[in-house]
Amino acid sequence: MRFILEIRLRIFVIFFLLFCILLQGEAHEAESGFVTCGSLVKLINTRHNVRLHSHDVKYGSGSGQQSVTGVEAADDANSYWRIRGRPGSACQRGVPIRCGQAIRITHMKTGRNLHSHHFSSPLSNNQEVSAFGESGEGDDLDVWTVQCSGTFWDREEAVRFKHKSTEVFLSITGEQYGHPIRGQREVHGMPSPNHHNYWRTMEGVFIQPSSDSLRHDEL
């Protein structure tokens, strides 16, 4: 009888240890987390260490649309962007963004979408990137695909954004503006992937999945 009790105790200890290991794995996954639909984030260019930024200042050439730049300051509210689905496609709040998914990146303060088109950028003569639309609604040139290595866009991963229509990559190569946005970096589109077009999330509010998105119907 004693022998049976010892066996049961050992089995219990083994299962308890396995349970603890599983819990640690789940906690680590939740801590790292994914970027989800509806999240409000700042995006930093990993090569030049500046955050994607916009403001109600229009380009003096090219499209004349709202300019998009890179800034060093970490505390500028004009560097917040909301991650949304493409036009006409459902993107449920809190659901992780898949690698390869088409999204819109909407400027929080002005409600305009990250946008590109066949205009030359003012400093480097690459493709212009602007902010376009009103109240989050623009056109098909607001759509970008997330290029990452796994199944979902991990918060800690450096990713690329490829423009859906013109196939350029969101990039910075270091050119700086003068007045009235002195010191800010030009953001533009480049035709090929390279070390100038890697971005990572920094500060932000990451929307968690709701109970509705996690609930499954029982048969």
Side-chain angles (χ1 to χ4, degrees):
M1 185 68 179
R2 183 177 178 182
F3 176 76
I4 294 174
L5 289 175
E6 288 178 354
I7 294 296
R8 287 179 177 176
L9 179 60
R10 289 179 182 178
I11 292 172
F12 174 80
V13 170
I14 291 170
F15 275 102
F16 179 77
L17 290 173
L18 288 172
F19 179 71
C20 290
I21 291 170
L22 287 173
L23 281 180
Q24 288 176 352
E26 290 177 358
H28 176 72
E29 182 178 1
E31 184 180 350
S32 61
F34 302 114
V35 179
T36 56
C37 193
S39 292
L40 189 67
V41 300
K42 291 184 179 181
L43 295 165
I44 191 166
N45 183 279
T46 59
R47 173 70 174 182
H48 299 278
N49 202 38
V50 292
R51 288 162 174 79
L52 188 68
H53 180 89
S54 193
H55 37 224
D56 199 8
V57 176
K58 294 180 171 53
Y59 287 122
S61 61
S63 68
Q65 294 175 2
Q66 181 172 303
S67 59
V68 174
T69 63
V71 298
E72 293 181 352
D75 58 352
D76 194 324
N78 277 310
S79 299
Y80 277 112
W81 301 81
R82 189 172 299 281
I83 307 302
R84 305 169 61 218
R86 64 182 300 172
S89 177
C91 187
Q92 189 171 355
R93 283 172 57 87
V95 173
I97 301 294
R98 288 184 170 273
C99 295
Q101 183 172 337
I103 62 170
R104 284 177 292 180
I105 304 172
T106 304
H107 190 239
M108 183 190 73
K109 280 280 188 104
T110 63
R112 296 189 171 99
N113 299 318
L114 192 69
H115 182 95
S116 194
H117 38 217
H118 292 295
F119 287 92
S120 294
S121 61
L123 302 182
S124 67
N125 204 37
N126 285 299
Q127 185 166 301
E128 183 189 276
V129 171
S130 64
F132 174 76
E134 295 294 336
S135 302
E137 298 306 319
D139 61 23
D140 289 341
L141 295 177
D142 301 340
V143 180
W144 302 76
T145 56
V146 183
Q147 293 197 339
C148 46
S149 60
T151 303
F152 298 107
W153 177 5
D154 192 289
R155 298 180 200 174
E156 301 299 320
E157 182 182 359
V159 305
R160 290 189 174 102
F161 301 103
K162 187 175 184 179
H163 193 241
K164 183 74 172 175
S165 294
T166 65
E167 299 189 336
V168 296
F169 294 88
L170 185 69
S171 307
I172 291 179
T173 49
E175 294 82 3
Q176 295 189 19
Y177 288 105
H179 181 78
I181 49 176
R182 185 178 304 278
Q184 295 187 23
R185 311 294 178 87
E186 181 189 78
V187 173
H188 50 249
M190 300 185 74
S192 58
N194 55 56
H195 54 274
H196 295 294
N197 37 58
Y198 273 118
W199 301 83
R200 186 167 60 85
T201 58
M202 292 295 288
E203 304 84 1
V205 178
F206 295 91
I207 304 300
Q208 296 300 308
S210 66
S211 58
D212 289 339
S213 65
L214 295 177
R215 188 173 61 241
H216 297 279
D217 292 333
E218 299 271 339
L219 294 178

